[in-house]
Amino acid sequence: MRWIVPIIILLAIEVYAFQAFKTLFKFWWSLGIYTGITAVVVGLLIYSFYESSPNVSLTGFRAYMGGIFLSLLLLKLSVVFWMFGEDIIRLLVYAYRKLFTTSTENLPSRRKFISTIALGLGAIPFLSLLYGMYKGKYNFKVLSYELEFDNLPEAFDGYTITQLSDIHSGSFDNTEKIEYAINLVNEQESDVILFTGDLVNNLADEMTPWTPLFSQLKAEDGVFSILGNHDYGDYYNFESQTDKQQNFEDLVNVHSDLGWDLLRNERRELVRGDSKLHLIGVENWGKGGFKKAGDFEKAADGVEAADFKILMSHDPSHWDEVIQHHKKDVQLTLSGHTHGMQFGIEIPGWFKWSPVQYRYEQWAGIYENAKRFINVNRGFGFLAYPGRVGIWPEVTVIKLKRKSKTEV
């Protein structure tokens, strides 16, 4: 019963889109090709949901069919937008003639150039999504920032952090590309590597084939990590609570196998001589129905407001709701979670847009409030849609700088 409304909507879109093709292509064989492609894609998409999935998520063949279906759907939606607009104008013209003139003309026919424009514009998202699946998902970018702080200990002036987030290892399908990305991270030669959650999609063993590669990540002060919402197994239908708990324990052990120091509402000290930074890591805390296991008060116990602190918290809504105004004055928060929706338009330094910005105020890059910063990493991997368009997989490098007294 729940599928009736979506099916009716999809059929309505299909009818409108078909009219555009019918206007442009008069030959039966061209319309047959269009209908055949649609039927094959829909059929394979339905078939993919009857095939077993290794972690019962939108990955592999199922994800690719979903991506192709989405590409076609956006093409048709663009067509529907233009065609529907033209139909409104046609009806208004027809009504005007009937009411205010003696014309006996029928409803004006659709114009071919409108259909051509609709298909041309619709081809842009269609081809972009196909490119995103073919190339975009592994189009790794290093984004570098330099942030100044009044109270950064002098010994840490120039200290560099590489941040990774949202690996989602269960979605990977290209060992060579991941090996390239690991080498890219190590080439940054940062002082510390920080991973801000979502190692897997659902199950701990998704990481098994990738552990040898990710265990190669190295930094002078080590690799530290936290948990994201996907790491708890909440989106998988386990046979029992015992199985779910075992999967979670296995996931925690994976961090150890990688040689990463997992912070679960706790902190570590990064030391340079007599100076130190407090590295705080909390479990997932997110608004809007996401798990709130993060306990900043516990993790930051014993830390003073004047101390320099770096907080790792997976969901940026934690910073928005709690951290940016907290009395303990967290100078830098590192988050992920949003993926930048894996789709958007970004011209560095000029323009940045993605539909996810209507859900998260802080969704990609650096944000500041009263000298308190947050970086929202766009994510290393991908989930559901097996690609990225405009919002590329990210390796963040942040250099900490001490603001000179003359600047303060």
Side-chain angles (χ1 to χ4, degrees), residues 147-397:
L147 302 179
E148 289 187 327
F149 301 92
D150 298 340
N151 64 335
L152 180 71
E154 191 171 343
F156 285 90
D157 187 25
Y159 191 84
T160 54
I161 300 165
T162 288
Q163 181 197 359
L164 304 177
S165 194
D166 299 87
I167 287 174
H168 288 287
S169 56
S171 299
F172 294 151
D173 55 11
N174 191 316
T175 302
E176 184 179 334
K177 295 294 186 181
I178 301 304
E179 185 175 8
Y180 163 79
I182 296 298
N183 291 333
L184 184 65
V185 174
N186 284 333
E187 285 172 7
Q188 306 312 309
E189 298 183 337
S190 291
D191 294 298
V192 68
I193 296 175
L194 305 180
F195 171 66
T196 49
D198 275 2
L199 187 63
V200 298
N201 296 341
N202 291 307
L203 304 177
D205 61 13
E206 294 170 26
M207 195 63 190
T208 300
W210 307 103
T211 297
L213 278 176
F214 281 90
S215 61
Q216 296 175 21
L217 290 175
K218 303 297 179 186
E220 181 180 348
D221 287 340
V223 182
F224 297 86
S225 57
I226 58 170
L227 300 172
N229 56 298
H230 278 267
D231 295 324
Y232 296 90
D234 289 343
Y235 312 122
Y236 183 86
N237 187 24
F238 290 93
E239 291 186 4
S240 68
Q241 186 61 35
T242 301
D243 289 342
K244 182 179 180 181
Q245 182 60 32
Q246 184 59 56
N247 178 72
F248 180 72
E249 292 174 7
D250 291 343
L251 187 281
V252 169
N253 290 333
V254 168
H255 287 256
S256 179
D257 294 339
L258 290 167
W260 299 0
D261 188 352
L262 178 63
L263 305 185
R264 299 180 59 191
N265 296 324
E266 51 192 322
R267 63 184 173 90
R268 302 287 186 266
E269 293 180 354
L270 304 176
V271 179
R272 289 287 186 275
D274 295 330
S275 301
K276 60 186 177 183
L277 302 185
H278 294 277
L279 179 62
I280 304 169
V282 297
E283 296 202 31
N284 192 79
W285 192 105
K287 68 178 182 180
F290 290 104
K291 182 183 288 291
K292 288 182 169 63
D295 189 340
F296 176 73
E297 301 299 336
K298 175 184 176 183
D301 184 43
V303 177
E304 302 298 328
D307 296 330
F308 193 90
K309 297 165 288 294
I310 300 171
L311 172 65
M312 302 164 65
S313 181
H314 178 69
D315 192 318
S317 66
H318 189 207
W319 185 82
D320 193 43
E321 295 284 313
V322 178
I323 301 301
Q324 67 170 316
H325 302 297
H326 199 281
K327 62 183 180 182
K328 288 214 169 180
D329 189 16
V330 178
Q331 291 87 354
L332 176 61
T333 299
L334 303 177
S335 298
H337 182 62
T338 71
H339 299 207
M341 204 174 171
Q342 298 169 212
F343 177 86
I345 302 170
E346 189 165 9
I347 304 173
W350 290 88
F351 181 77
K352 182 172 63 178
W353 175 88
S354 169
V356 79
Q357 71 188 54
Y358 305 114
R359 171 67 174 81
Y360 291 94
E361 188 170 346
Q362 298 81 31
W363 60 275
I366 298 287
Y367 301 83
E368 179 187 3
N369 179 40
K371 298 183 180 179
R372 300 177 183 187
F373 294 89
I374 181 174
N375 180 63
V376 184
N377 184 284
R378 294 159 180 80
F380 185 93
F382 50 93
L383 182 68
Y385 166 61
R388 284 177 175 266
V389 178
I391 306 294
W392 312 119
E394 175 180 345
V395 175
T396 310
V397 178

